[in-house]
Amino acid sequence: MIGSTGTALTAVVASVLDAPTRGELRVRHEALVTVDQAGIIVSVLDPSDSEYEQLRDRFARNGHLTELEEGQFLLPGLIDLHNHAPQWPQLGKALDVPLEVWLNRYTFPLEAKYADLGFAGEVYESLVDSMIGNGTTTAVYFATTHLPATKLLVDLCIEKGQRALVGKVAMDDPDGCPDFYRDESAATAIAATAELIDYVESHPGNRDGLVLPAITPRFIPSCTDELMAGLGELATHSSAHIQTHCSESDWAHSYGVSRFGQTDTATYRDFGLLTSKTVLAHSNFVNAQDLAMIADAGAAVAHCPLSNVYFANAVFPTRDAFAADVHIGLGTDVSGGPGPSVFSAAASAVAASRVREDGVDPIVTADERGVPDSRISFAEAFWMATTGGGEALRLPIGVLSPGYSFDAIAIDTAVPETDLNIWPDIDSSLDVLQKIINNTVRRNVSRVWIQGVLVKSPSR
Ligand code: GUN
Ligand code: FE
């Protein structure tokens, strides 16, 4: 899994915060992170290491050393496991109705507009800039049913240097999709998905695999059996990832159960869509058997806590997923979630877990109000936003250790007009992490590297 290491070419000196182990924050002060020509981390040295001074001086003399200043921290880049690129124009609005109404009233009409490549280019350019600007180094994108616009999203991610998984949305069921927005047939949807995989894998600008294809059945209510079976078949013949929505809301979950007499997880498994490269968005209504099935398959859940507040009718059992050893990371679910930041998703994951633990109705006595032992810590949320996301995708990202890609962000707590303030004498490293998760905004993300390439630089 981990890439091979070569000779270091550039280096960064910084206070490094990452979370290779769930629930534990790792802190390395004045660490020297060296990176090779392919963008892979070669070494992370501590000032007490014998080679440290000499190496640091050499990189500095050659002009290849970036030194973060007091108040700046180096973190792994954020991983957004679930993001609907075409919904970017409706970010922050249209959240006043249930999922099934939202899809038909707002979302399908918006997504239908991506037949227009000019519109698609304008939106996707703005979206990718915002994701990078907010520190998302890897995004897992649903596009739309349109192959040309989906290819354009691939091109833009490659051009801007964003690591991404991109899927052409497949949705063909006339009973679940409007006439103005659906694939002509299962066969055309499967053929277009195969063409996208080929396009991404043979793209001349994508030799190092920065962008990867994803097989993307939208969700069970929008897909015929024929489509799901065909995409499952395609998955067995390709190395592409798979992404879909699973047991998201009362309505979506009960639709799947009434159509197939079993949970969405079981249905995806039966269609060959539950593999070690599958990302299941939401999955709020998964039961213990589903979690075991997901863990057995080595599949992953994209937990989208803020979107779930609007659409899920329940709070995802994050701690149960941890206990079942399910791969799990975070998703913004742009635009079911109203913001672009994975830090916000992490903060919401903590808050949602507290709501689950404590319950909601003051009339109910405290001992019966919530679900005991549901809370997660900020360190666990940070792990999901980084390491957990990397493990979910089976990519060497999310951790700042040798062999991993140098996908990293610098958080600057000293930018003008910041609300992210650190008092070094009273804030512990865990305090700093908690503040970063809760109060980082785009201007605090001063640098972003993806595969060793600096794709965002300080504006001051
Ligand atoms: N289920 C099917 N499509 C969607 C979507 O676009 N967003 C969310 N949150 N759920 C879905
Ligand atoms: Fe979604």
Side-chain angles (χ1 to χ4, degrees):
M1 256 311 142
I2 311 290
S4 64
T5 56
T7 310
L9 199 73
T10 58
V12 179
V13 169
S15 289
V16 178
L17 306 180
D18 68 354
T21 303
R22 193 180 71 222
E24 289 175 28
L25 176 64
R26 176 168 69 170
V27 185
R28 289 165 291 176
H29 293 294
E30 286 273 311
L32 178 69
V33 183
T34 71
V35 180
D36 72 11
Q37 197 157 13
I40 309 290
I41 299 171
V42 176
S43 60
V44 182
L45 298 179
D46 186 78
S48 63
D49 285 319
S50 56
E51 300 163 281
Y52 181 95
E53 283 302 332
Q54 197 196 348
L55 259 182
R56 181 173 172 160
D57 286 351
R58 200 181 80 207
F59 281 110
R61 264 198 320 275
N62 296 342
H64 292 152
L65 184 69
T66 303
E67 293 180 75
L68 297 196
E69 294 160 19
E70 187 72 28
Q72 299 179 336
F73 301 87
L74 187 74
L75 278 66
L78 304 172
I79 299 171
D80 187 347
L81 285 187
H82 185 59
N83 185 314
H84 294 268
Q87 296 172 19
W88 185 239
Q90 74 180 9
L91 188 80
K93 69 174 192 179
L95 294 169
D96 55 335
V97 288
L99 176 64
E100 59 278 26
V101 181
W102 175 82
L103 285 169
N104 285 297
R105 184 180 299 168
Y106 302 117
T107 301
F108 292 155
L110 173 59
E111 291 192 12
K113 292 186 194 300
Y114 290 75
D116 175 350
L117 268 184
F119 178 67
E122 198 183 320
V123 174
Y124 288 159
E125 175 139 26
S126 160
L127 165 85
V128 176
D129 286 344
S130 284
M131 290 306 132
I132 291 172
N134 280 285
T136 297
T137 49
T138 299
V140 183
Y141 289 127
F142 274 57
T144 60
T145 59
H146 314 94
L147 187 57
T150 306
K151 288 180 175 175
L152 187 57
L153 177 58
V154 171
D155 295 346
L156 281 165
C157 290
I158 291 171
E159 186 186 312
K160 291 176 183 291
Q162 179 170 53
R163 191 184 304 286
L165 282 76
V166 177
K168 178 218 114 64
V169 171
M171 44 190 281
D172 69 327
D173 192 337
D175 293 337
C177 310
D179 291 342
F180 63 82
Y181 184 52
R182 72 163 179 265
D183 288 301
E184 215 176 288
S185 66
T188 59
I190 295 160
T193 302
E195 190 179 331
L196 180 76
I197 294 171
D198 192 43
Y199 181 77
V200 173
E201 290 179 346
S202 61
H203 198 295
N206 193 29
R207 290 211 182 85
D208 52 1
L210 195 70
V211 176
L212 296 169
I215 295 168
T216 308
R218 185 173 201 120
F219 70 153
I220 288 173
S222 67
C223 297
T224 60
D225 293 18
E226 188 188 351
L227 176 58
M228 288 190 279
L231 293 177
E233 174 70 16
L234 183 60
T236 62
H237 299 299
S238 92
S239 56
H241 285 71
I242 299 166
Q243 59 177 343
T244 189
H245 296 88
C246 176
S247 295
E248 179 175 359
S249 68
D250 277 321
W251 164 76
H253 175 61
S254 54
Y255 171 89
V257 171
S258 66
R259 178 162 146 200
F260 289 103
Q262 59 183 8
T263 60
D264 288 6
T265 307
T267 298
Y268 288 134
R269 180 203 53 194
D270 292 351
F271 280 119
L273 292 165
L274 192 71
T275 76
S276 61
K277 289 186 133 184
T278 298
V279 178
L280 300 172
H282 306 283
S283 309
N284 297 296
F285 290 85
V286 290
N287 59 30
Q289 290 77 36
D290 293 332
L291 284 174
M293 230 183 290
I294 297 168
D296 277 354
V301 169
H303 175 32
C304 306
L306 204 43
S307 164
N308 289 345
V309 171
Y310 291 100
F311 293 141
N313 318 113
V315 177
F316 178 74
T318 310
R319 196 147 281 299
D320 295 351
F322 288 168
D325 278 332
V326 161
H327 289 287
I328 180 166
L330 293 174
T332 58
D333 195 27
V334 164
S335 69
S341 168
V342 177
F343 280 132
S344 294
S348 301
V350 173
S353 76
R354 297 290 180 85
V355 172
R356 182 176 166 89
E357 180 165 301
D358 289 341
V360 294
D361 189 349
I363 290 171
V364 179
T365 58
D367 58 333
E368 297 198 336
R369 202 180 296 137
V371 183
D373 303 322
S374 289
R375 67 171 57 195
I376 64 163
S377 68
F378 280 92
E380 286 170 321
F382 180 49
W383 175 89
M384 283 195 286
T386 54
T387 314
E391 289 179 359
L393 297 175
R394 314 242 162 206
L395 295 174
I397 53 175
V399 176
L400 296 176
S401 286
Y404 283 81
S405 291
F406 188 61
D407 286 18
I409 57 179
I411 298 296
D412 190 349
T413 64
V415 292
E417 299 185 6
T418 185
D419 296 315
L420 174 55
N421 297 302
I422 306 297
W423 273 268
D425 293 342
I426 57 175
D427 288 335
S428 68
S429 297
L430 262 177
D431 293 336
V432 170
L433 174 71
Q434 194 167 330
K435 286 180 163 188
I436 288 174
I437 288 173
N438 280 314
N439 286 318
T440 294
V441 294
R442 187 165 165 170
R443 87 178 80 87
N444 296 111
V445 182
S446 61
R447 289 185 174 88
V448 178
W449 294 264
I450 301 175
Q451 197 77 45
V453 177
L454 187 67
V455 291
K456 178 179 180 181
S457 326
S459 50
R460 66 193 165 105

